[in-house]
Amino acid sequence: MKKVVVVGCGNVGMAYINNLVNTKGLINELVLIDINREKILGEAMDLSHAAAVINSNIKIKAGTYADCFAADIVVICAGKNQDKGETRLDLVRNNNEIIKSIVKDVMQSGFNGVFLVATNPVDVMSYVVQKYSGLPSGKIIGTGTLLDTERLKYLLSQKIHINTENIHAYVLGEHGDSSFAVWSKSTIGMVPILDTVSKDDLDAIEYEVKHLAYKIIDYKKETSYGVANCLLKITKAILNDESIVLNVSSPVDGIYIGLPSVINKDGNIGTMKVSLSEDEKEKFEHSKDVIKTTIKNMEV
Ligand code: NAD
């Protein structure tokens, strides 16, 4: 029996939930929690009919925190999203309070599974979940720079007309303005990317990746499908015990930050050490400082 509870059923939560329902056989039970009770009552009914269309026998309901007790994963998508011009870090005070109270309620149920976090700023919120749950740090996984990494691969693929499957490129650091592309470790097939694509083009692509969320929010006020697929990928890695490496918010030096980690049924079972170039090391340290300062200011 595989059970997932989703807390926060807005744009991101519902895009992810729709993914779960349409991935037949992945889970047996899905529970929706939101402060907007009427919305999730309606969503649960609508989704149950969607499941019937594909002959899935998944059980879906609008639940309460008591349902978190036997859940394999509790996914947190609750909280405020960015308004036009707002950075992810601007959300910190508001979302800190929301996440704190959610985690306390989840833990009261006796939950002992894996927390998966999407709420921004996601690295800081992963820290908050660990702090208030008291669970081992590997039991908390934030989506980190997984989405940024996929955006980078997509833009490179568009530029050089090579399938994303053969593009091994990575974004690490804060899921935010201080994230950075790790060109020194990126390859197209086996060939170093720095030997294949001009530095000017790489710089332009890196800049675009950092600003894509702002662009999408300008157009449609929110982003959801990209992160929903990242959440699905991490969920599969956990429930199918895949031991795959993903750039998620990972515990390092008392904070969470985007780094490659091995994900399986136990959560994050190991974060990899990446040997960065001098320039990338500086960017990584800067990103760590941004997260540390945000946590410090949040806690005063
Ligand atoms: P939304 O406003 O559409 O949905 C948020 C939901 O949370 C709402 O349904 C609201 O009722 C619910 N909620 C608020 N407080 C709650 C509480 N105390 N308990 C339970 N539910 C509560 O927002 P969204 O667009 O779905 O974004 C959600 C979060 O995901 C934001 O923080 C956003 O920045 C983040 N996000 C992260 C990524 C990523 O890559 N990690 C990408 C996109 C969005």
Side-chain angles (χ1 to χ4, degrees), residues 163-212:
N163 196 299
T164 48
E165 187 147 339
N166 303 112
I167 298 179
H168 312 292
Y170 313 91
V171 176
L172 298 184
E174 176 213 1
H175 171 59
D177 297 347
S178 70
S179 67
F180 61 98
V182 185
W183 299 129
S184 71
K185 290 283 170 289
S186 299
T187 60
I188 308 294
M190 286 177 65
V191 181
I193 206 161
L194 290 163
D195 295 349
T196 330
V197 186
S198 78
K199 190 67 175 62
D200 282 352
D201 283 343
L202 293 180
D203 286 346
I205 286 172
E206 181 175 14
Y207 180 89
E208 194 171 350
V209 168
K210 283 200 205 188
H211 292 84
L212 270 177

Short mmCIF file of all heavy atoms in Angstrom, two decimals, residues 163-212:
data_model
loop_
_atom_site.label_atom_id
_atom_site.label_comp_id
_atom_site.label_asym_id
_atom_site.label_seq_id
_atom_site.Cartn_x
_atom_site.Cartn_y
_atom_site.Cartn_z
N ASN A 163 18.98 16.06 -28.31
CA ASN A 163 17.98 15.60 -27.35
C ASN A 163 18.44 15.85 -25.89
O ASN A 163 19.61 15.64 -25.59
CB ASN A 163 17.77 14.10 -27.57
CG ASN A 163 16.51 13.60 -26.91
OD1 ASN A 163 16.36 13.69 -25.69
ND2 ASN A 163 15.59 13.12 -27.72
N THR A 164 17.51 16.27 -25.04
CA THR A 164 17.87 16.57 -23.63
C THR A 164 18.49 15.34 -22.94
O THR A 164 19.26 15.49 -22.00
CB THR A 164 16.63 17.00 -22.81
OG1 THR A 164 15.57 16.09 -23.06
CG2 THR A 164 16.19 18.41 -23.15
N GLU A 165 18.15 14.15 -23.43
CA GLU A 165 18.70 12.93 -22.83
C GLU A 165 20.23 12.90 -22.91
O GLU A 165 20.90 12.30 -22.07
CB GLU A 165 18.11 11.71 -23.56
CG GLU A 165 18.47 10.43 -22.91
CD GLU A 165 17.38 9.38 -23.04
OE1 GLU A 165 16.22 9.74 -23.28
OE2 GLU A 165 17.73 8.19 -22.93
N ASN A 166 20.79 13.54 -23.93
CA ASN A 166 22.25 13.52 -24.10
C ASN A 166 22.93 14.77 -23.56
O ASN A 166 24.13 14.96 -23.72
CB ASN A 166 22.60 13.35 -25.59
CG ASN A 166 21.98 12.11 -26.17
OD1 ASN A 166 21.09 12.19 -27.00
ND2 ASN A 166 22.41 10.96 -25.70
N ILE A 167 22.11 15.63 -22.93
CA ILE A 167 22.68 16.86 -22.38
C ILE A 167 22.84 16.68 -20.86
O ILE A 167 21.85 16.57 -20.14
CB ILE A 167 21.80 18.08 -22.71
CG1 ILE A 167 21.74 18.23 -24.23
CG2 ILE A 167 22.34 19.35 -22.04
CD1 ILE A 167 20.90 19.37 -24.72
N HIS A 168 24.09 16.61 -20.43
CA HIS A 168 24.36 16.38 -19.01
C HIS A 168 24.85 17.72 -18.43
O HIS A 168 26.06 17.97 -18.41
CB HIS A 168 25.38 15.27 -18.84
CG HIS A 168 25.04 14.06 -19.66
ND1 HIS A 168 23.94 13.27 -19.37
CD2 HIS A 168 25.57 13.56 -20.79
CE1 HIS A 168 23.85 12.32 -20.28
NE2 HIS A 168 24.81 12.47 -21.16
N ALA A 169 23.90 18.55 -18.07
CA ALA A 169 24.23 19.89 -17.58
C ALA A 169 23.47 20.11 -16.28
O ALA A 169 22.39 19.53 -16.09
CB ALA A 169 23.85 20.95 -18.60
N TYR A 170 24.01 20.93 -15.40
CA TYR A 170 23.48 20.99 -14.04
C TYR A 170 23.43 22.41 -13.50
O TYR A 170 24.33 23.20 -13.76
CB TYR A 170 24.37 20.15 -13.11
CG TYR A 170 24.70 18.80 -13.68
CD1 TYR A 170 25.85 18.63 -14.46
CD2 TYR A 170 23.84 17.72 -13.50
CE1 TYR A 170 26.13 17.39 -15.03
CE2 TYR A 170 24.13 16.49 -14.06
CZ TYR A 170 25.28 16.33 -14.83
OH TYR A 170 25.54 15.12 -15.39
N VAL A 171 22.37 22.69 -12.71
CA VAL A 171 22.32 23.93 -11.95
C VAL A 171 22.38 23.54 -10.47
O VAL A 171 21.65 22.65 -10.03
CB VAL A 171 21.02 24.73 -12.22
CG1 VAL A 171 20.95 25.98 -11.34
CG2 VAL A 171 20.92 25.11 -13.69
N LEU A 172 23.23 24.21 -9.72
CA LEU A 172 23.36 23.93 -8.28
C LEU A 172 23.16 25.22 -7.49
O LEU A 172 23.05 26.31 -8.05
CB LEU A 172 24.74 23.34 -7.96
CG LEU A 172 25.09 22.00 -8.61
CD1 LEU A 172 26.46 21.52 -8.11
CD2 LEU A 172 24.04 20.93 -8.34
N GLY A 173 23.14 25.08 -6.16
CA GLY A 173 23.02 26.24 -5.27
C GLY A 173 21.58 26.48 -4.85
O GLY A 173 20.74 25.58 -4.88
N GLU A 174 21.31 27.72 -4.48
CA GLU A 174 19.96 28.12 -4.06
C GLU A 174 18.99 28.02 -5.24
O GLU A 174 19.35 28.38 -6.36
CB GLU A 174 20.03 29.59 -3.60
CG GLU A 174 18.69 30.21 -3.23
CD GLU A 174 18.62 31.71 -3.54
OE1 GLU A 174 19.59 32.28 -4.07
OE2 GLU A 174 17.56 32.29 -3.27
N HIS A 175 17.77 27.52 -5.00
CA HIS A 175 16.73 27.63 -6.03
C HIS A 175 16.26 29.09 -5.97
O HIS A 175 15.31 29.44 -5.28
CB HIS A 175 15.58 26.67 -5.75
CG HIS A 175 14.39 26.88 -6.66
ND1 HIS A 175 14.47 26.78 -8.02
CD2 HIS A 175 13.09 27.21 -6.38
CE1 HIS A 175 13.28 27.04 -8.55
NE2 HIS A 175 12.43 27.30 -7.58
N GLY A 176 17.01 29.95 -6.68
CA GLY A 176 16.74 31.39 -6.61
C GLY A 176 17.78 32.14 -7.40
O GLY A 176 18.51 31.55 -8.22
N ASP A 177 17.88 33.42 -7.13
CA ASP A 177 18.72 34.27 -7.97
C ASP A 177 20.22 33.95 -7.88
O ASP A 177 20.97 34.35 -8.77
CB ASP A 177 18.49 35.75 -7.59
CG ASP A 177 17.05 36.16 -7.87
OD1 ASP A 177 16.33 35.40 -8.55
OD2 ASP A 177 16.63 37.23 -7.39
N SER A 178 20.67 33.26 -6.84
CA SER A 178 22.11 32.96 -6.74
C SER A 178 22.46 31.57 -7.26
O SER A 178 23.59 31.10 -7.07
CB SER A 178 22.59 33.11 -5.29
OG SER A 178 22.05 32.07 -4.49
N SER A 179 21.52 30.89 -7.91
CA SER A 179 21.83 29.58 -8.49
C SER A 179 22.85 29.76 -9.62
O SER A 179 23.02 30.87 -10.13
CB SER A 179 20.56 28.93 -9.04
OG SER A 179 20.09 29.68 -10.14
N PHE A 180 23.52 28.69 -10.01
CA PHE A 180 24.53 28.82 -11.08
C PHE A 180 24.66 27.50 -11.85
O PHE A 180 24.43 26.41 -11.31
CB PHE A 180 25.89 29.23 -10.50
CG PHE A 180 26.45 28.23 -9.53
CD1 PHE A 180 27.39 27.30 -9.93
CD2 PHE A 180 26.02 28.20 -8.21
CE1 PHE A 180 27.89 26.35 -9.04
CE2 PHE A 180 26.51 27.26 -7.31
CZ PHE A 180 27.45 26.33 -7.74
N ALA A 181 25.05 27.62 -13.12
CA ALA A 181 25.26 26.44 -13.97
C ALA A 181 26.69 25.93 -13.75
O ALA A 181 27.62 26.72 -13.64
CB ALA A 181 25.07 26.81 -15.43
N VAL A 182 26.81 24.62 -13.67
CA VAL A 182 28.14 24.02 -13.44
C VAL A 182 28.71 23.58 -14.79
O VAL A 182 28.70 22.41 -15.16
CB VAL A 182 28.02 22.83 -12.46
CG1 VAL A 182 29.40 22.26 -12.13
CG2 VAL A 182 27.32 23.28 -11.19
N TRP A 183 29.22 24.55 -15.53
CA TRP A 183 29.71 24.25 -16.89
C TRP A 183 30.93 23.33 -16.85
O TRP A 183 31.14 22.54 -17.77
CB TRP A 183 30.07 25.53 -17.63
CG TRP A 183 28.92 26.49 -17.84
CD1 TRP A 183 28.91 27.81 -17.55
CD2 TRP A 183 27.63 26.20 -18.42
NE1 TRP A 183 27.70 28.38 -17.88
CE2 TRP A 183 26.89 27.41 -18.42
CE3 TRP A 183 27.00 25.04 -18.90
CZ2 TRP A 183 25.59 27.50 -18.91
CZ3 TRP A 183 25.70 25.13 -19.38
CH2 TRP A 183 25.01 26.34 -19.38
N SER A 184 31.74 23.42 -15.80
CA SER A 184 32.97 22.61 -15.75
C SER A 184 32.68 21.11 -15.73
O SER A 184 33.55 20.31 -16.04
CB SER A 184 33.82 22.99 -14.53
OG SER A 184 33.19 22.53 -13.35
N LYS A 185 31.46 20.74 -15.35
CA LYS A 185 31.12 19.31 -15.26
C LYS A 185 30.06 18.93 -16.31
O LYS A 185 29.53 17.82 -16.26
CB LYS A 185 30.54 19.00 -13.86
CG LYS A 185 31.54 19.08 -12.76
CD LYS A 185 32.43 17.84 -12.75
CE LYS A 185 33.59 17.97 -11.81
NZ LYS A 185 34.62 18.93 -12.25
N SER A 186 29.73 19.85 -17.21
CA SER A 186 28.65 19.57 -18.16
C SER A 186 29.20 19.03 -19.47
O SER A 186 30.23 19.48 -19.96
CB SER A 186 27.86 20.86 -18.42
OG SER A 186 27.29 21.33 -17.22
N THR A 187 28.48 18.04 -20.01
CA THR A 187 28.89 17.44 -21.28
C THR A 187 27.69 17.27 -22.22
O THR A 187 26.54 17.20 -21.77
CB THR A 187 29.52 16.03 -21.06
OG1 THR A 187 28.54 15.19 -20.45
CG2 THR A 187 30.76 16.08 -20.21
N ILE A 188 28.01 17.22 -23.51
CA ILE A 188 27.00 16.85 -24.51
C ILE A 188 27.46 15.48 -24.98
O ILE A 188 28.53 15.36 -25.59
CB ILE A 188 27.01 17.81 -25.71
CG1 ILE A 188 26.90 19.27 -25.25
CG2 ILE A 188 25.91 17.44 -26.71
CD1 ILE A 188 25.62 19.67 -24.59
N GLY A 189 26.67 14.44 -24.68
CA GLY A 189 27.20 13.09 -24.86
C GLY A 189 28.43 13.00 -23.95
O GLY A 189 28.35 13.30 -22.77
N MET A 190 29.60 12.68 -24.53
CA MET A 190 30.81 12.61 -23.70
C MET A 190 31.67 13.87 -23.80
O MET A 190 32.70 13.99 -23.15
CB MET A 190 31.68 11.43 -24.16
CG MET A 190 31.13 10.09 -23.75
SD MET A 190 32.16 8.78 -24.40
CE MET A 190 33.70 9.06 -23.52
N VAL A 191 31.26 14.80 -24.68
CA VAL A 191 32.12 15.94 -25.00
C VAL A 191 31.87 17.11 -24.05
O VAL A 191 30.72 17.52 -23.86
CB VAL A 191 31.86 16.39 -26.46
CG1 VAL A 191 32.75 17.56 -26.84
CG2 VAL A 191 32.06 15.22 -27.41
N PRO A 192 32.93 17.66 -23.43
CA PRO A 192 32.73 18.80 -22.53
C PRO A 192 31.97 19.93 -23.22
O PRO A 192 32.29 20.29 -24.36
CB PRO A 192 34.16 19.25 -22.20
CG PRO A 192 35.00 18.05 -22.41
CD PRO A 192 34.35 17.28 -23.52
N ILE A 193 31.00 20.49 -22.52
CA ILE A 193 30.16 21.52 -23.13
C ILE A 193 30.99 22.76 -23.47
O ILE A 193 30.72 23.45 -24.47
CB ILE A 193 28.97 21.87 -22.19
CG1 ILE A 193 27.81 22.41 -23.00
CG2 ILE A 193 29.35 22.85 -21.09
CD1 ILE A 193 26.48 22.37 -22.29
N LEU A 194 32.02 23.02 -22.67
CA LEU A 194 32.86 24.20 -22.92
C LEU A 194 33.65 24.06 -24.23
O LEU A 194 34.13 25.06 -24.77
CB LEU A 194 33.81 24.44 -21.74
CG LEU A 194 33.10 24.93 -20.46
CD1 LEU A 194 33.98 24.77 -19.23
CD2 LEU A 194 32.63 26.37 -20.61
N ASP A 195 33.77 22.83 -24.76
CA ASP A 195 34.44 22.62 -26.06
C ASP A 195 33.45 22.72 -27.22
O ASP A 195 33.85 22.69 -28.39
CB ASP A 195 35.08 21.22 -26.14
CG ASP A 195 36.21 21.05 -25.14
OD1 ASP A 195 36.61 22.07 -24.55
OD2 ASP A 195 36.64 19.90 -24.95
N THR A 196 32.16 22.77 -26.90
CA THR A 196 31.13 22.64 -27.95
C THR A 196 30.31 23.91 -28.15
O THR A 196 29.95 24.24 -29.28
CB THR A 196 30.12 21.52 -27.55
OG1 THR A 196 30.79 20.56 -26.78
CG2 THR A 196 29.44 20.92 -28.74
N VAL A 197 29.99 24.58 -27.05
CA VAL A 197 29.10 25.75 -27.14
C VAL A 197 29.90 26.98 -26.67
O VAL A 197 30.68 26.88 -25.70
CB VAL A 197 27.86 25.56 -26.22
CG1 VAL A 197 26.87 26.70 -26.40
CG2 VAL A 197 27.18 24.22 -26.50
N SER A 198 29.72 28.10 -27.36
CA SER A 198 30.52 29.29 -27.01
C SER A 198 30.15 29.79 -25.61
O SER A 198 29.00 29.64 -25.16
CB SER A 198 30.28 30.41 -28.04
OG SER A 198 29.05 31.04 -27.77
N LYS A 199 31.11 30.42 -24.95
CA LYS A 199 30.88 30.93 -23.59
C LYS A 199 29.78 31.98 -23.59
O LYS A 199 28.97 32.06 -22.66
CB LYS A 199 32.20 31.49 -23.01
CG LYS A 199 32.14 31.83 -21.54
CD LYS A 199 31.97 30.58 -20.66
CE LYS A 199 32.03 30.85 -19.16
NZ LYS A 199 31.04 31.72 -18.60
N ASP A 200 29.72 32.78 -24.66
CA ASP A 200 28.66 33.80 -24.75
C ASP A 200 27.28 33.15 -24.76
O ASP A 200 26.35 33.61 -24.08
CB ASP A 200 28.83 34.64 -26.02
CG ASP A 200 29.93 35.68 -25.85
OD1 ASP A 200 30.42 35.82 -24.70
OD2 ASP A 200 30.31 36.32 -26.85
N ASP A 201 27.14 32.09 -25.53
CA ASP A 201 25.85 31.39 -25.59
C ASP A 201 25.52 30.76 -24.23
O ASP A 201 24.38 30.81 -23.77
CB ASP A 201 25.87 30.30 -26.67
CG ASP A 201 25.71 30.89 -28.07
OD1 ASP A 201 25.27 32.06 -28.16
OD2 ASP A 201 26.03 30.20 -29.05
N LEU A 202 26.54 30.18 -23.60
CA LEU A 202 26.29 29.54 -22.29
C LEU A 202 25.86 30.60 -21.26
O LEU A 202 24.93 30.38 -20.48
CB LEU A 202 27.54 28.80 -21.80
CG LEU A 202 27.95 27.58 -22.61
CD1 LEU A 202 29.21 26.94 -22.01
CD2 LEU A 202 26.83 26.53 -22.66
N ASP A 203 26.53 31.75 -21.29
CA ASP A 203 26.17 32.82 -20.35
C ASP A 203 24.74 33.28 -20.57
O ASP A 203 23.99 33.52 -19.62
CB ASP A 203 27.12 34.03 -20.52
CG ASP A 203 28.50 33.75 -19.94
OD1 ASP A 203 28.64 32.76 -19.19
OD2 ASP A 203 29.44 34.51 -20.27
N ALA A 204 24.37 33.41 -21.85
CA ALA A 204 23.01 33.88 -22.17
C ALA A 204 21.97 32.86 -21.68
O ALA A 204 20.92 33.23 -21.13
CB ALA A 204 22.87 34.11 -23.67
N ILE A 205 22.28 31.58 -21.85
CA ILE A 205 21.34 30.52 -21.43
C ILE A 205 21.23 30.49 -19.90
O ILE A 205 20.14 30.38 -19.34
CB ILE A 205 21.78 29.16 -22.01
CG1 ILE A 205 21.45 29.14 -23.51
CG2 ILE A 205 21.11 27.99 -21.30
CD1 ILE A 205 21.98 27.96 -24.28
N GLU A 206 22.37 30.62 -19.23
CA GLU A 206 22.36 30.62 -17.76
C GLU A 206 21.51 31.79 -17.24
O GLU A 206 20.69 31.64 -16.32
CB GLU A 206 23.78 30.72 -17.22
CG GLU A 206 23.83 30.69 -15.70
CD GLU A 206 25.25 30.67 -15.14
OE1 GLU A 206 26.20 30.93 -15.91
OE2 GLU A 206 25.41 30.39 -13.94
N TYR A 207 21.66 32.95 -17.86
CA TYR A 207 20.89 34.13 -17.47
C TYR A 207 19.39 33.86 -17.66
O TYR A 207 18.57 34.16 -16.79
CB TYR A 207 21.33 35.34 -18.31
CG TYR A 207 20.57 36.61 -17.96
CD1 TYR A 207 21.03 37.46 -16.96
CD2 TYR A 207 19.38 36.94 -18.62
CE1 TYR A 207 20.33 38.60 -16.62
CE2 TYR A 207 18.67 38.07 -18.29
CZ TYR A 207 19.16 38.90 -17.29
OH TYR A 207 18.45 40.03 -16.95
N GLU A 208 19.06 33.25 -18.79
CA GLU A 208 17.64 33.00 -19.08
C GLU A 208 17.03 32.02 -18.07
O GLU A 208 15.91 32.22 -17.60
CB GLU A 208 17.45 32.50 -20.52
CG GLU A 208 15.98 32.57 -20.89
CD GLU A 208 15.69 32.31 -22.35
OE1 GLU A 208 16.64 32.25 -23.16
OE2 GLU A 208 14.50 32.15 -22.66
N VAL A 209 17.79 30.98 -17.73
CA VAL A 209 17.28 30.00 -16.76
C VAL A 209 16.91 30.70 -15.45
O VAL A 209 15.86 30.44 -14.86
CB VAL A 209 18.33 28.88 -16.49
CG1 VAL A 209 17.94 28.04 -15.29
CG2 VAL A 209 18.47 28.01 -17.72
N LYS A 210 17.79 31.61 -15.01
CA LYS A 210 17.55 32.30 -13.74
C LYS A 210 16.33 33.20 -13.80
O LYS A 210 15.73 33.51 -12.77
CB LYS A 210 18.76 33.18 -13.40
CG LYS A 210 19.93 32.41 -12.86
CD LYS A 210 20.79 33.40 -12.13
CE LYS A 210 22.22 32.96 -12.06
NZ LYS A 210 22.99 33.84 -11.18
N HIS A 211 15.98 33.65 -14.99
CA HIS A 211 14.89 34.62 -15.09
C HIS A 211 13.59 34.04 -15.65
O HIS A 211 12.60 34.74 -15.76
CB HIS A 211 15.35 35.82 -15.93
CG HIS A 211 16.42 36.61 -15.21
ND1 HIS A 211 17.75 36.26 -15.25
CD2 HIS A 211 16.33 37.66 -14.37
CE1 HIS A 211 18.44 37.09 -14.49
NE2 HIS A 211 17.61 37.95 -13.94
N LEU A 212 13.60 32.73 -15.98
CA LEU A 212 12.41 32.13 -16.58
C LEU A 212 11.17 32.20 -15.69
O LEU A 212 10.07 32.49 -16.18
CB LEU A 212 12.69 30.67 -16.95
CG LEU A 212 13.24 30.45 -18.35
CD1 LEU A 212 13.53 28.98 -18.57
CD2 LEU A 212 12.24 30.93 -19.40
#
